Amino acid sequence: MQATQKQKSRTLSAVSKWISKASTAAIAFLLGIGLALAPAQALESIRAAIGPIEFSGEMSEIEAFVEEGELSTGLVWLERFTDSETVEGLRVLLQTPIELDATVVAKLTYSSLGENFLQRLGKIIRTEAGQNGFYAMRAALILAADAPEDLTLLSILQHVPVESIRIDMEATIALVRDFLAQQDTKADALEAIARQAEYEGAATGDRFNFALSSDLRQPGPYPVTVQSLMLSDATRSGPVNPMVRQFSVDLYLPQGLSQAAPVVIISHGLGAEAAEFAVLAEHLASYGFAVAAPDHVGSDAAIFEEIIAGNYFGRLDASEFSDRPQDVTFLLDELERRARTGGPLSGQISLERVGIIGHSFGGYTGLVLASGEINHAKLDSTCTEEDPFLNLSLFLQCQAVALPPSIESLKDPRIGAVLALNPIPSTLLGQASLSQIDVPVMIVQSSEDILAPIVPEQIEPFNWLTTPQKYLVTLSPAGHGSANQTELLEENLANSLLTGPNTFLGSVYTRSLSVAFMQRHISNQSRYEPYLTAAYGAYLSQEPLQVSVITDSVAALTDQD
């Protein structure tokens, strides 16, 4: 079926926005697409192979194509093997600015993730001698970023330091078509979510007046104290001390409660730290929750700083996929011990039913604690492919392939509710594991997330959930870290590249919904039920960031299954 003009316009607009917020790996992917199209000033020619047939192109023809939108005689062969939408999509890709400076680009392209992606693309984009094009692509990206003109894919091509390159055009066209199709699928899903939110909101909107009720955006009534714990698990090794796994925990305790406080755990993402969630933790504690935020050594801020500095060239230890949930279980065991009669937390906390909030890798951590099983079959079937991934989170997820299949269940029966922010469960857990979760789950997604794309990582997993109490929250327009705004994030260059827009409002929305979700499903207070509806999402929303809440599966994807 031919794409409508609306779909074409929508897709190309999405492509342009996507590039402008691109991460390192995303830039590498687009670099490959651009190189597949054209040579640049340092390139005298390219050879594009389609099966046994080879075609060539010249730089002047490529520049005319980008500037005028017309294919010259020397490039008209491209239309024979693709369609006008794909050709125009490639033109948009070549000329859209990429907002990264030279220092950041240089460091990121020497990171483990960047090198991995460039090596994969180098199998498609080769030198004239047939060698992997890794070094030429990396050099071109760094040189172009340091040039005075805007960084675009075309400017990157103009700095490729070889005379000729060879391109597998069949593989490149397939990648571009997949990318454009995914953009359309995402747009369709977002439209379906908006319609569903409108429908659900109309059914509940007149039943509750939020303006006259508790404002969950404001702090709760309880003052909060913070203490730091250092825990040592002698049954597991750690990256610092091979004899014991040691990790710190920030514990936020509400003061003045008449009974023990229920516990909420916050699990940070890869390369992050517990301190980044201090605002959220203190907000929850002010509503009567004891909040414990551990630092997961081995996948915390220390490793990300090494990656950004270009000093980390290895892979994440696969044990982190089991160590993270085991950190939480060990933490809960330790809190239980300290809460016993006579203990330092006696009478202050209750672990009868525990909530967990996790971001990205931490979202997986919370979900696996509720499901129990890593999906080894799904990992094996997904992670054997050699083609570059359009879903960048698979670079992380697929490192779990090295885990032994015999690993014990990671489920912790104390977990009573999971709030997953931008989680990455599609392959680590898949439908088989997610469908086993029987506690309430809220998934929060960001429309412009280029690290954990919403369709495979949040919308499809939401549809797979069979628990009767599930919620899908959509922030738009927002990026991978838009729900986590803190002053610390604003000061961190690496985080500022990945967070996406509108982090302040995203943080406000997340705090409000976190309180409602935990009060309803951990504290069992039914009066918070109205705050978990489409009507509350509509009430919260303000420019420039919209938030929607739905409780039913996304029909646009259900219809395709």
Side-chain angles (χ1 to χ4, degrees), residues 340-464:
R340 292 172 189 155
T341 303
L345 295 177
S346 177
Q348 295 187 63
I349 62 174
S350 169
L351 291 103
E352 182 177 345
R353 187 175 175 85
V354 175
I356 185 167
I357 300 172
H359 176 248
S360 193
F361 201 5
Y364 149 77
T365 304
L367 291 168
V368 78
L369 280 161
S371 70
E373 303 297 331
I374 292 174
N375 194 330
H376 293 281
K378 179 74 170 177
L379 284 166
D380 290 340
S381 64
T382 299
C383 299
T384 55
E385 299 177 5
E386 289 298 324
D387 293 333
F389 296 128
L390 294 181
N391 179 351
L392 303 180
S393 76
L394 291 179
F395 279 103
L396 173 59
Q397 295 187 62
C398 285
Q399 295 185 47
V401 168
L403 276 177
S406 58
I407 189 169
E408 295 182 1
S409 173
L410 298 168
K411 184 171 184 175
D412 193 312
R414 292 168 292 195
I415 298 298
V418 180
L419 199 166
L421 307 169
N422 309 89
I424 52 170
S426 68
T427 299
L428 281 164
L429 300 179
Q431 185 171 4
S433 296
L434 287 170
S435 63
Q436 300 302 309
I437 296 177
D438 58 4
V439 300
V441 174
M442 175 179 282
I443 292 178
V444 178
Q445 63 179 4
S446 302
S447 64
E448 310 308 315
D449 192 337
I450 58 176
L451 299 183
I454 63 173
V455 172
E457 294 305 325
Q458 286 99 51
I459 298 177
E460 288 180 342
F462 175 76
N463 283 356
W464 295 336

Side-chain angles (χ1 to χ4, degrees), residues 104 271-273 276 301-302 304-305 308 486-499:
V104 172
E273 58 186 347
E276 293 179 14
F304 197 75
E305 291 303 320
I308 294 299
T486 66
E487 291 182 2
L488 181 63
L489 280 175
E490 293 296 320
E491 296 171 359
N492 187 307
L493 174 61
N495 280 326
S496 69
L497 294 174
L498 305 177
T499 53

Side-chain angles (χ1 to χ4, degrees), residues 30-90:
L30 296 175
L31 174 59
I33 294 174
L35 283 171
L37 262 181
Q41 289 178 358
L43 289 174
E44 296 181 1
S45 66
I46 62 168
R47 297 181 184 276
I50 300 179
I53 306 173
E54 279 195 355
F55 300 89
S56 62
E58 301 298 329
M59 178 57 195
S60 59
E61 295 173 310
I62 299 303
E63 290 182 331
F65 165 65
V66 173
E67 189 172 324
E68 301 170 12
E70 298 293 332
L71 291 174
S72 65
T73 302
L75 294 176
V76 72
W77 55 266
L78 186 58
E79 288 186 327
R80 302 177 194 170
F81 301 98
T82 183
D83 53 67
S84 59
E85 183 183 2
T86 302
V87 172
E88 181 60 19
L90 292 170

